[in-house]
Structures are given as structure tokens and as C-alpha cells.
Amino acid sequence: MHNAEGSLRERNRLETWTAIHDTAARLSFEKGLAEATVEEIAAAAGVSRRTFFNYFPTKEDAVLGVRAPAVPAEALRDFRGGDDDLFGRTVSLLAAVVMSMTRGGSPRGRRLELIRRYPELRTRFHQYASAAEKLVEPILAERLAGAAARPAPEDSVAAMLALAGAVIRFAYARDPEMSAGTDVAIENALEIFRDVIRKNP
């Protein structure tokens, strides 16, 4: 019974989150980002202003359908317990953290169109993307702590995160909607990067 209540509560939270986000995105398209107020978004979504801020700290977050990133427990276990492919595991971990910024039902194409139409939203999205990298940084540093001195562990961490971020951006640029599925798109992008590195030492 406890699990059923928990899953119902989570489903209700997801429905409310989606209603607020969809309404915020729709009103921003219809009226403009500046003209779509929190009060109007909340009323049209059928929630109070207080409920709005329980789900989204800013109007921009609601419009984008993003939240602060987190490290999913399963992704962390996979990273720590995986094989010797540290690059691939880092890409997978960073991708999971980036994906935690959104919830199901939030179309990436719509988000990209909103950012194109309202460039000021790009800054907010990049703040969250940087926060995702900051979450992965100490995990990767812990893994590389015993590595040889060259390159220095902090340089190795920075380089690995830069490469992992590039793979993820490349995957999204090739297929913004991730039509083949996120895991497949990321894996395909990772293979392209590996192939380029192998053939161009």
C-alpha cells in the first residue's frame, strides 16, 4: 500500500509539474516571455502561486521545464562499478545528470525554440548545465585521485568533463529530439568521437 501511495503521489507531482511547464511555455509563445507572469501561469495551470514556486524557483525554469540537476543513484553505481572505459562511463554519468534537469514529457524541440526566440533563457539553461558538470567533477576527481601525476588529476578531470560535454552537445545537435532514444544517440556520438580520435592521433 505504501508503494502505491508513493507512486500516486509521484504521478500527481509529475502531472502538476507538466501542467505548470506546458502552460508557462504556451503563454510565453502566445504573449511573450516578459508578458507571461507567474500569477497568470499559475492561474491557467490551476495552481496557486505558492504551488508554482514549490515546483519552479523562477518563471524561466518553468518556461524551460528545467530544474536543478542531481546525480541519479543508478548512474553513480554504474560509473563506480563499471569497466575500464572511464571516458564512456563519464559520458554516461554526465548525460544522466543533465537528463535529471528535465522530466518526462518536456519536448526538447520546444525548449530549443523557446531559447531561440528568447535568448535570455540560454543563460539559465547554461547555469544548470554548468551545475551538472560541477556535480560530476568531484566524482570523477575521486576516481582519478590515484592516477599518475601527468597530466595532473585536476587537468585530467577538466579535460574529461570537456570531452564528455562535447559528446553530449554533439549528440543533441545531430538529433535534438533524440528520436532513437537518448542512450542510443549518446552512444553513437561517443563512437564517432572515439573513431575521430583513433584516426587522427
Side-chain angles (χ1 to χ4, degrees):
M1 183 70 167
H2 181 69
N3 285 345
E5 288 174 5
S7 62
L8 177 61
R9 189 177 309 119
E10 181 55 31
R11 191 164 56 246
N12 288 339
R13 285 187 57 77
L14 179 57
E15 287 173 3
T16 302
W17 188 96
T18 302
I20 295 169
H21 165 51
D22 286 346
T23 302
R26 177 178 56 79
L27 289 176
S28 294
F29 276 129
E30 291 173 2
K31 302 182 70 166
L33 182 63
E35 289 74 21
T37 66
V38 168
E39 290 75 12
E40 185 178 16
I41 292 165
V47 300
S48 68
R49 189 176 197 281
R50 181 176 177 179
T51 298
F52 177 98
F53 285 114
N54 283 339
Y55 283 83
F56 295 99
T58 69
K59 177 180 76 173
E60 290 73 19
D61 290 1
V63 171
L64 287 168
V66 295
R67 59 185 176 172
V71 179
E74 184 179 342
L76 183 57
R77 273 193 310 274
D78 289 346
F79 176 81
R80 288 184 170 152
D83 57 21
D84 290 334
D85 179 17
L86 184 59
F87 180 37
R89 286 187 292 135
T90 302
V91 170
S92 294
L93 178 60
L94 182 58
V97 174
V98 168
M99 293 300 294
S100 78
M101 293 168 25
T102 62
R103 297 186 88 143
S106 179
R108 180 172 164 77
R110 178 171 70 186
R111 188 176 303 114
L112 291 174
E113 177 57 24
L114 282 160
I115 289 171
R116 187 195 65 72
R117 191 176 293 192
Y118 307 112
E120 59 269 34
L121 293 175
R122 184 179 308 278
T123 300
R124 187 63 174 161
F125 192 81
H126 283 301
Q127 287 172 342
Y128 278 139
S130 293
E133 289 189 2
K134 291 290 183 199
L135 287 175
V136 173
E137 188 175 323
I139 298 166
L140 187 55
E142 175 188 300
R143 168 63 179 77
L144 292 172
R150 286 185 47 207
E154 60 272 13
D155 289 339
S156 295
V157 169
M160 188 74 77
L161 281 174
L163 282 170
V167 170
I168 293 166
R169 286 189 299 277
F170 181 79
Y172 277 117
R174 289 182 77 215
D175 184 4
E177 293 297 338
M178 295 287 177
S179 55
T182 303
D183 291 343
V184 172
I186 299 281
E187 188 59 37
N188 288 343
L190 184 56
E191 284 309 310
I192 290 170
F193 269 68
R194 284 184 171 133
D195 194 46
V196 167
I197 291 167
R198 274 193 304 266
K199 292 179 178 173
N200 298 283

